Structure formats: structure tokens, C-alpha cells
Amino acid sequence: MTPFRIRNDAKKWFKNIRDDGFNTDFDSFYICFLVGVLTSTRKENVLTSETSELVDYFPDRFRERAKLLVGVFLTTELNILGIQMKEKKIVHNAIIKLVKPESPSYLSEEGVKLFNSYAAGGFEKLLDWFDEKPIRLATFLRELTRAVRDNSEDLNIEGGTV
Amino acid sequence: MPLEIKVLGWRAAGLRCVDHEVNFQKKDDQTHRISLIQMPNGNGKTTTLELLRAALSGAELENVNRFAKSGSSAGEFELKLLLNKKRTTVIMNFDFDAGKLHYTTTRGKGKVSGFDPPIEFKQFMNENFVNFFVFDGELAQNLLDQTKTNADSVINHLFQINVLKIIEDRVKTHWDIHRAKVKATDQVGLTRRTNKVVLLSQRLKEAETKLSELRARKTKLEYAIKIQTNEFDRQIKGGKKAQDDLIASRDKIVHLEGRSREAASALLDQMRDPCSLSPLISARLIDFRQGLDRVKLPESAAREFFEELAEEELCICGREINCTIAQAIRVRALQYLGSDDVSLLNGIKSSIDSSTGISGQLAEELSRTVLGLDDSEKQLAEARTELDRLVSLAKVDPKVRQADAELEDLKARLLKIDAGLEDFDDDNETIPDDKLLCIAVIKKKLKEAEGELAEITKTVQIKAKRDVLVTILQDAWTSASTIMKRELRTQANVRINELLPNNKIEIEGIDGALRLAGKERGSVGETLSVGYAFLSCLYNRAQHQIPFIVDSPAGPLDLDVRSEISALVPKLSGQFIAFLISSELQNFTKPLSKNCDDIQYLTIFRRGLDDYDQSAKKQKSHMETADGFIVMGQNFFESFQLEKQ
């Protein structure tokens, strides 16, 4: 099964708070993904050698929210593709390409790659939002909620590929 | 394994030769040692020989209509063989209307279209080799013609010298397959990969040493900081209260840091539900959820329902489902989601419902946690300010200032070491090998490099072994072939001298064809004698048992040579089949019968020779065909004399 992958520079950027409260690298990956989908930002063509392999499923506390996260992903991707939720056949074909029920992540290979590209794109946004890499989890999360709030106007406009 | 070919018999019908069937089989799959077939000129002897060569080699014959019997639109030639004691039948079907010939082979696995003897027999059952055991005067001439004969090939196959070439090919193929799998095969590649392993091994050692040193220095510094902090406290004057205030301030910071960390963990946990961070996500999810309902996804029926319906004879409405309708249902079923997809989409919808249903509550909780965290951070900042104030007050004393400066220096050094240790976590694999610090990456690269080195080391060894083995095989082949040809030449010359003591003819060499000393070719009789001499030596020495079929074995020979040849014939092969005409019998069959007690006599002739027709019909062992007779027995054979021969 295709695993989720985190950018190496993102892993390094989160290092301090990885030691200060994140349970796993998946927390770093998730924050990146969340910012990626919030800003509808994808970064494709990241070299595999520039990424680290994570797991091929949603671990720990994310397990119970796996389908919700797939829903968030589908919502964003269909939106980016400009698919109107009116044409059943088009929606059906788009969804069927991205999901795979028997996969541990519920995502097809293409779905996982795109999911990863949102995380990669989200990290680019974090670099825009933060001048320095975070040192403490508490400071980072407060600044993150503030950044999300401050950028909420931008979040309503169409995003795109970095 | 030695191979054995025996001809059990053949049958010809509808062809240019007299329709006939011959059977050389005795009891228990044994064949007669010698079978002599007398067939007058004009009865299709040459045709029969050509058919035999084709049936034994699968040759594609040109102008097949030349084999047609007058007025015949189809013909058949059937050859029965015993190949290593297993029956094989080759049938040649001629379609003269279409001008086509078709082979059929029947053996252990049943009847197959085409010429298909067992694979191990193909080395003998081919167009080159068949000329060495279906032999006539013309082919005797060919033995001396390099453009028409490849005696080397026959010697190679008959004495299994070709096995050396087969092994050589296998060795080369093995190498080619191995080489296709690996990236580098030569010494340069080996050196490059060896150097890489050496470099990475050194790098691993250096990195481990450096990391160990840094960690030791860190431990030492952390201890020094602890001691220096105590020293700093000890230097503070102004009584116990000032010291207690400082300690209390530090404790407060530790406490508030813990509280802040707990609040941050709680906030992170709340953020793990995406709906809590931004109302935008909830709004989008709700839109998506409603959109799915709008387009009726997932459907209430899954694809499997329609696929199963397509297998039914009747629809649920009672109408018949024929092939066309079933196919249409199957095609349209693809527009529906599978049951797993349906289940997943329903699961996603339920999750959206659950999360967005309480998204307001989640957002509120998150806000509260953020406020709590803000409060903790604010208190923490105040506590740090208070600590700074207390430290500043204390630093009025030069001794305290000195202790603090030393403490700060230690802390700065610790920070530097931490920064240095951080470099060891850089798992970027694109860093050049000689700059790598991350132990895990170095180990991973070293393992890969060792794997590549092992691969090329093995490859270089295999290449060296291949070269040695191929040289040995080629030398062995050349040596075996040369020795074999030399021995055959010597033996054949002894035999030629016995057959033609006064002709001063001898084989000088075997270079594809036989090369005679001092002359290009001899008379017809000489050439045939040379051919017999050579072939008798060839077959006597070989382990394989191959029949020897000869047209006019004695025809062009002088009478005195005939008796010599007749002594040679029984030694040629385990089965000798000869086509003769009556004029050849003199000085041949009688001496032959003295040298062999297992001779079968067959006379085949076209109907129309009144005396012989009547005489044949009187014979007990005779067979009448559409246009001729086959008579078995020595008496009829010897009494059959046609003047025009």
C-alpha cells in the first residue's frame, strides 16, 4: 500500500515541537495537510528522496477520524478540480479514482499521492506564515490558530498548486 | 544419451512411384539387419528416396506436383519410425490441386500438425544430416564437395562433440542473463564500489565517534550548568529570603511551563478534529455532504446487485433477460459504486454528520483551550520577567555577576552542542557521502553500497569463470573435432586401401567435405568406395544407432570391389536398407548373404509385366496394390530379371 510521506524539510522544521508534544511525525504531517486543505494548496512533484515514509494508515487519534479526513480531502480535491456537485457521473468518476475501500487509508494510490501533495503545499504556507521554525508547541499552536484566523479571508478564495 | 533411429516401414499411395507398402519389422520391434529392395528403373525408386529424405527431415519440397501419379489429385507417404524404442509416424499429405504438402507427426503426445520429431532427434532429422544416412551415388560425389556437404557438422553431432558447443552457449546465455540484471560488470565498477564502501565505513566510524564525543560533552555541560546554578545561588547575598525568592520564582516557571504544555497538548488533540480549527472546513464538508445527496451518491443499490441481476434469466419485473439485455445491464452496472465504495461513502457521510453537527461546540472548546493557553503563557511570561528582575537585582554583586556570566557561557556552549547534535538528525540523503552525519542514513547507504559491491564482486567472479570455462570448452571442441577427424581419416584410408588397393586414392583431410590427396574427385566407383569407407568408419565409431539407406549400393562399382563392399555393408549400421536393380545383384547379394544371416528381400514393380505379374500372384508372400506388386522372398528377388536394366 502507498504510504503517506512527509517532506524532510518539514520534518526538520517541526523537530523542536516533535520533542515537545507531538506524538509522532504524523502530527507534523497532519498540521501541514490541514493548512494545505484550508488554503487549497498542493505541491506536486516533490522527489521521493526529499521525503520520509510514514505509515499507510491513519494512526492513533486519527484512526477514528480517518473517514472524516478522507471527506475533507475529497471536498478540497473536487473543489480544486472545479467539479460541481450536480453531475452524478462526473462526481462518481472523480471519487472512484481517489478512494479504495480496502486500502488501510481508504485512499487509492493516486489519492494518497494527492493527500501528500496537500501536506507538502501546506508546509509551504507555514513557511510563509512563520518567520522562524517553532520551538515550543504552546507558542506554535497559538500562532497557528491566529494565522488561520488572520488568513481566513484568503481561505475563501480559490487556492491552487504551489 | 545415445539415440537410436529405426525405420519400421513406409507406405506410398497416389504418388509417382508404384503404390507400395514395406515393413521391415520382425517381432518385438526388431528390424531386419539388412533389407534389400529391388525396384526396376522407372518404378519410382528416386521418388521413394526423395520422399524418405523429406519424411526424415521435414524438408519443404519444391514443386510438389512432380510427385503426382498421373490422374491423381492427392497422395500420401507414411513413414513409421522407432525413435529410442518409441513409435513415431510422419505422414506427408500431398494436395496436388492446391500444389501443397502438409506434414503430420504422431508420437507419444498424439497427433500434431507439422514435422515434429522429439527435440533430441532433430540433430539427425534435418536436411544436412539426412544426406549422410539416405545415401546415393550423387551424394557420394557431394561428400567431396564443400558447397554441398558439411561433414564437420555430422561428425560433431554423431560423436556428441556438439554438446561442448551447447554447454558453451548455455554458459554464455547464463552470463548474458546475469549481466542484464546488474549495472556494472567490470573492474572499474568494482573499484568504484569498493571505494564507496570504504568511504562510507570510515564516515560511519567518524560520525559515531563525533556523536559520542558531543553527547559526552553535553552531559558534562549539563552537569556543569547544574553546579554553576548552585554556585550562582550560593553567591547571592541579601539573606535567605532573596535565595528563596529566586528558587520560588524558578519553581513557578517550571509549574507554569507544565501547565502550558498540558494546555498545548489538549489544544493539539482538539485540532486533530479538522472541524474544530476553522468553520470553513465544516462549511465545505456540509456542502460536500449535501452535494452527494443531490447527485444521489452513493446509490441505494450497489454494482453487485446489477451484476447478479445480469446472471438471472428473469428480471425482478418478470421480463426475460436475454444476452443483449444482460450485457447492457453489465455495462451500465459499471456506473454504480461497488458495495465497498457505497459503504465507505456512507461512512464518510456519517463522519461528516457527526463532526459538523458539533462543529460549533468544537470551535467553542478550542477557543476556550486557546484562552486557557494564552493565560498560562501570559503567567509564564510574567514569571520569567520576575525571575529576570530577581536575577538582575542579585547581579549587583560582582561575584554573582561573575557566576551568572559563567552560567550563561555554559548555556551558550550547550546551545552550540545542541546545534551540533541537530546536524546528526539531518536525514537528507542527498548530502554528499563525505559530509553525511546522520548515522541512520550512513548505515542505510553503507548497506546499499555493500549490496552493490557484493553484486559486482560476484559478477566479476562469474565473468572470470565464464571466460575460463568458454576457453576450456572451445579448446576441448577444437581438440575433440581435430582428433576425431584425424582418426576417421586414418581409419577410412585403411579401409579405402582394402577396397581399392591399386587406385592410390586416399583422404587427405576433412574440411567440411572430404578432401582427396592429389585430386579433386575420383571415378564414380572410386567416389562411392571412398564414401562407404568414410561412412562405415563414421557409423562404426558412433554411439548413436542410425539406419543406413542406400540407392544403388553397388551399381558403379567394379565387380571385385562389390564383394569387398558387401563385406562392409553389415558393419555400416544396425539397419541397412538398399534399393537395387537386377544388374547390381551380381557379386553383391551373394557375398552379402555370406556376411549376414538376417537379410530381407523385397521386390516392388509396377503391374504390366505379364510373366512377373502372374509369377508374383503365385507367391505366398505378395501384396497387390492399385498399380503394382510387392513380393517378399529371396527366390523371387533373385529370379526377377528385366532386360532393360
Side-chain angles (χ1 to χ4, degrees), chain A residues 15 27 30 37 61 142, chain B residues 269 271-272 284 374 425:
Chain A
K15 186 185 177 300
D27 273 322
Y30 168 72
V37 292
R61 296 297 302 275
R142 287 170 69 218
Chain B
D269 202 34
M271 280 185 180
R272 286 179 180 131
R284 282 183 188 167
D374 284 347
D425 293 330

Side-chain angles (χ1 to χ4, degrees), chain B residues 480-497:
Chain B
S481 181
T482 307
I483 291 169
M484 211 60 242
K485 284 196 281 188
R486 193 170 57 222
E487 288 186 6
L488 275 173
R489 189 196 64 192
T490 307
Q491 288 175 353
N493 282 337
V494 170
R495 194 145 283 171
I496 290 167
N497 194 41

Side-chain angles (χ1 to χ4, degrees), chain B residues 275-320:
Chain B
C275 292
S276 64
L277 186 62
S278 169
L280 187 66
I281 290 182
S282 301
R284 282 183 188 167
L285 282 170
I286 290 166
D287 276 353
F288 176 64
R289 165 81 169 84
Q290 288 170 346
L292 287 177
D293 284 346
R294 200 160 43 245
V295 295
K296 296 192 170 70
L297 276 174
E299 303 91 345
S300 48
R303 188 191 308 140
E304 289 86 345
F305 167 80
F306 296 103
E307 287 169 348
E308 284 168 20
L309 182 65
E311 300 298 319
E312 298 293 329
E313 288 178 3
L314 293 175
C315 180
I316 46 173
C317 63
R319 277 180 286 191
E320 186 195 349

Side-chain angles (χ1 to χ4, degrees), chain A residues 27-47:
Chain A
D27 273 322
S28 312
F29 175 78
Y30 168 72
I31 295 291
C32 292
F33 168 74
L34 206 54
V35 173
V37 292
L38 267 169
T39 57
S40 300
T41 310
R42 283 195 317 218
K43 182 175 171 66
E44 292 174 86
N45 304 323
V46 179
L47 295 174

Side-chain angles (χ1 to χ4, degrees), chain A residues 11-12 15 20 27 30 37 61 65 68 85-86 88 92 96 101 133 136 141-142 145 155-156, chain B residues 261 264 269 271-272 274 280 284 294-295 299 335 337 341 355 373-374 377 422 425-427:
Chain A
K11 200 172 154 186
K12 204 171 170 185
K15 186 185 177 300
D20 190 42
D27 273 322
Y30 168 72
V37 292
R61 296 297 302 275
R65 295 178 179 119
L68 183 67
M85 297 295 281
K86 290 174 186 169
K88 178 180 177 177
H92 169 274
I96 221 74
K133 63 179 181 180
R136 294 176 60 240
L141 293 181
R142 287 170 69 218
T145 50
L155 300 182
N156 279 312
Chain B
R261 198 174 294 116
D269 202 34
M271 280 185 180
R272 286 179 180 131
L280 187 66
R284 282 183 188 167
R294 200 160 43 245
V295 295
E299 303 91 345
Q335 295 170 11
L337 293 165
D341 295 309
S355 199
L373 184 58
D374 284 347
E377 288 289 288
E422 212 168 277
D425 293 330
D426 191 348
D427 55 5

Side-chain angles (χ1 to χ4, degrees), chain B residues 517-564:
Chain B
K519 54 168 94 176
E520 270 191 31
R521 57 186 64 236
S523 66
V524 175
E526 282 175 340
T527 303
L528 194 56
S529 301
V530 168
Y532 275 130
F534 173 70
L535 292 173
S536 65
C537 295
L538 192 70
Y539 287 108
N540 275 343
R541 289 200 53 148
Q543 286 180 305
H544 302 300
Q545 288 293 316
I546 293 169
F548 199 45
I549 304 165
V550 189
D551 180 23
S552 296
L557 300 173
D558 293 339
L559 291 177
D560 53 340
V561 179
R562 284 186 186 184
S563 59
E564 295 288 339

